[in-house]
Amino acid sequence: MTSPRGTFVDTLAAHARSRGPFVLGIALVALLIRVATSPAPPARSVEAVAAMLGATVGGSVRPEDFVWEERGGLVHDAMIGRRVLFLAARPSGANAAPTNDLYRAEVRISRGGRPVAVRRVVNLTNTPLGHEHDLVAHGRWAAYATSADGLVQGITILDLAGDAAVQAARTRSERLRASVENWLSEGALRGIGEIAVLFGAPPKEARFELTEDMLVMALGQDALPAAVTLSDASVNPGPRDEHALSAQRLPHDVTPWSPFLEATTRELVGEGSAGRVKRIVTSLRTTSIRLREATASPPPELPAAPSTEAPSDEGFPPPRVATKRDRTMPGEGLWLPAPAPLPMSKPEAPPALFTTIVRPDPDRPHAVVHLVAMDGRRLELRPMPGTLAPRTPTGLRGEGRIPAADVPAAVAVFAGGPPANAPPLGLVVERRTFLPPQPDASTLAVDRFGRPSIGAWPFGADVPPAIRSLRQTGAPLVTSGHVGKLSEADAVLADRSALCVTEAGHLIYGWGEALPAELLARALVLAGCREALPLATSPDPTGIGFFQRTGDEISASVHAAGMSLAPARALSGSPTELVYVVVRKANPDAPLPEGVAWEPDPGTQPTPLWQPGIYTATVSKLGAQVRVAWFAPERFTLHIRAGEKELSHRFGGTFPGALSDAERPHVLAAVGLGAGRRKGPRGLAIDGSIGLKFAPGAGALVVGDGPVRIDKSEAFTPTPDADATELPLTADEGRPLPEARVVGSMRPRAALCALGDGAVLVATTTFDTDEATTEALVDVGCTRVVALDRGAHLNAFVHRAGGETAPEARYEQTTLYVLESPMRGRASALLGPAKAN
């Protein structure tokens, strides 16, 4: 008996046979129409291939701007395509000249060698403001240069055999993700290995070629030779490393599942679907966190102890964090020294890093914020871009590792990028612009003297000359000591980090696991923060780590469990942004002749005593022994007081001749300035009141209204808090003037200058001109020098507390008094330019 299924199949087969010729005819006609209407394959020429590639991406490709990768076989090249790298010029914006990007594609090749079709085109660089050029290839290797702003920003070496050597993937799941990422971003499952060749001082031009085992370069207009070995990225900078050459293999790290799914969905389906995936993953993660906290055992708690601590030295460590809880975790709110010993520090110096924990939400006892306080008096911050992040429109990359010169002083490092999915915001490192700053964005800025500041960026798209580095990260978490205005994205539970500045000028880093931004901000406010900016959030690496040293070996470890940062990569090459912390060099770095060194002055030093503020050195000049004293910046306040032999006030006032009773105990030095003479008296102003008029053609020593400075006398304008005296200008623009060589009596003489960082130097000797003291100060870096002689040619002096001659309350000649000031933290809120009245 025949089954119903068999009958149905037989009927279907008979129907297909009866209609087969008709269907075949239709297909044949369609094929003929397609062949008749399709353009003929390009000719077998490089020009034709270049035109075909350019048309594919909507740009232009020159015949010399594409290179074939190694063959995959006749069948592979015909059916799938032979891979090709090419540079295509496309318009980069309105009214902008076309710039090159580097592409990879597969070109199907006929048996006769003619290109048939282009498929699987991938933009490998995507630098709208950068220009890729000079593509070369040799075997499995290719290389190209990237230029922007008239300079070669770097050279990239491509290993077309793949990136297996630098993949961090170990499990099947990780290898699967790596292969998918490679396919989407580089057009091949095995990916492309990369070696980034970077320049600390970019050349205007670079010529290079590939050999079997190295990249050979001729850099700059002088064609300076250099080379990079392909096997290990080792560098031979040549005899003159004028461009600070470096190179390293770029890693391929494991991408967590949530950003992998989001990025893959965005690439394959679109932005809307990627957003839905992100919301689903966020919802699942939030539910998991809530469930975990609800079922977890209560954290260990003790009755809160009353605060009995004495006030700390200049606000460091910060006061105990008051959480207003009846019961606290062990150590909660109490600042304890961090396991980060300071290199190059005196044994008696206290720790410069302290840590504590705080729980800002009474309803979430498991929500813990880890805080790390950094001494703003002794530590400085250095923002550092990673090798892969951020992506810049010019193609400029970071090195991702602490410069060798800073490694001996490094004490800590933390994840320094903006929160995940933040828009591109400003990044400037050592005056090199990776990303232009945006107005009003929350910013960490570091000035040329290493002083950090945090706040809204007030300079628009400009970067003032005083700013050395900056990083912008988005909307502030804390402004003026209060929680800032937060967004909907800030409510998502994530691993979060932030950095803030306190009123006392110190810094606090905060990190918490599975927190909304509000809880992190509240913890920072409890710790005394004035301004705070957000930093990296999960799924990006977050956390802070400390460096430890054993002999010549240096290692790094994270501060708390749960932090995903790998701090040791700051020494080898981090793909993500970091900020590293270094010990500030507090002793003089003014140059001295070989064999001469700065030594702490034996007299009384300013507090704290573990950090001397007065150093001295003796140098030989013109046969005279010149003693140079260095007074540290930001450690002293200077005042001028009129001497008993000084001329009287010419405009009805009186010159104060002594310091107040409250000021006198803080005097550490008194420096004679001489006295005026009746014929041609030199100008004098105290407390902003000019009592003797300033004449042109001299110098004006100005103190009391900020850093000490020397103005041209004709340009001096008094301010209410300033003291100033007219003095002979003996050097300007780093060159001694004829005034320094005017011969007079052999007597004790002195000269003074101020460095750009605020340090004051005083040189003294016995000589018949001011030339020896002036040259000594010019040699240590002074650009403008004044002789300490108001005209009466009195003997100069420097009296020191704790020295042979102590400072006196009054003097016959007008005197510059040096008073110790509290050593405050150097961090501050970021302020805009001063407005004119």
Side-chain angles (χ1 to χ4, degrees), residues 336-682:
L336 301 174
L342 248 61
M344 305 178 296
S345 181
K346 290 180 175 294
E348 63 271 22
L353 293 129
F354 282 79
T355 67
T356 191
I357 59 173
V358 62
R359 294 176 298 166
D361 188 353
D363 297 328
R364 291 189 61 194
H366 293 279
V368 176
V369 175
H370 294 261
L371 301 175
V372 179
M374 294 176 267
D375 191 340
R377 300 168 296 181
R378 292 183 286 163
L379 301 176
E380 294 181 355
L381 305 183
R382 303 277 194 275
M384 179 174 67
T387 56
L388 300 178
R391 291 189 65 89
T392 66
T394 61
L396 180 60
R397 297 180 186 269
E399 192 171 346
R401 57 189 173 195
I402 301 174
D406 285 345
V407 169
V411 294
V413 63
F414 55 87
N421 300 317
L425 294 170
L427 173 62
V428 177
V429 177
E430 299 297 333
R431 299 293 302 170
R432 294 184 72 182
T433 299
F434 288 74
L435 294 166
Q438 303 298 314
D440 302 321
S442 193
T443 304
L444 165 66
V446 180
D447 73 9
R448 62 194 182 101
F449 303 120
R451 295 177 294 222
S453 54
I454 293 174
W457 183 248
F459 301 106
D462 298 328
V463 180
I467 299 297
R468 184 170 70 188
S469 300
L470 69 88
R471 186 49 166 131
Q472 297 182 318
T473 64
L477 288 183
V478 176
T479 58
S480 301
H482 301 283
V483 176
K485 185 178 180 180
L486 304 177
S487 67
E488 182 180 347
D490 292 322
V492 174
L493 298 185
D495 299 348
R496 297 182 180 274
S497 59
L499 182 72
C500 82
V501 60
T502 69
E503 289 285 355
H506 305 292
L507 297 163
I508 296 178
Y509 174 87
W511 176 89
E513 189 175 12
L515 296 176
E518 182 185 3
L519 286 193
L520 182 56
R522 282 163 54 184
L524 295 174
V525 170
L526 289 173
C529 292
R530 177 182 174 185
E531 304 287 335
L533 79 165
L535 294 176
T537 62
S538 58
D540 294 335
T542 61
I544 186 170
F546 303 125
F547 294 113
Q548 293 85 29
R549 292 168 173 80
T550 304
D552 294 333
E553 298 294 324
I554 181 171
S555 59
S557 59
V558 292
H559 168 53
M563 293 181 174
S564 55
L565 177 73
R569 300 191 74 167
L571 303 173
S572 59
S574 169
T576 57
E577 293 182 66
L578 302 173
V579 176
Y580 63 96
V581 186
V582 296
V583 179
R584 175 192 171 207
K585 188 176 182 180
N587 56 310
D589 58 1
L592 290 173
E594 185 176 355
V596 181
W598 294 103
E599 299 290 345
D601 188 79
T604 303
Q605 291 283 350
T607 57
L609 298 180
W610 43 261
Q611 182 56 69
I614 305 175
Y615 284 75
T616 56
T618 300
V619 299
S620 179
K621 277 293 170 188
L622 305 177
Q625 295 299 300
V626 181
R627 189 171 188 268
V628 182
W630 178 88
F631 295 85
E634 304 166 359
R635 301 288 300 275
F636 303 96
T637 301
L638 278 67
H639 293 297
I640 295 174
R641 291 297 178 261
E644 295 172 354
K645 290 187 175 181
E646 187 56 73
L647 301 177
S648 60
H649 198 290
R650 295 292 175 88
F651 303 104
T654 58
F655 288 126
L659 298 172
S660 68
D661 292 341
E663 293 172 323
R664 201 169 297 131
H666 301 285
V667 174
L668 295 186
V671 182
L673 300 175
R677 56 184 180 182
R678 296 189 179 280
K679 184 178 180 180
R682 295 190 180 275

Side-chain angles (χ1 to χ4, degrees), residues 760-781:
V760 175
L761 291 94
V762 178
T764 56
T765 192
T766 298
F767 210 62
D768 59 357
T769 70
D770 293 310
E771 190 173 9
T773 52
T774 297
E775 288 195 3
L777 293 180
V778 168
D779 287 350
V780 297

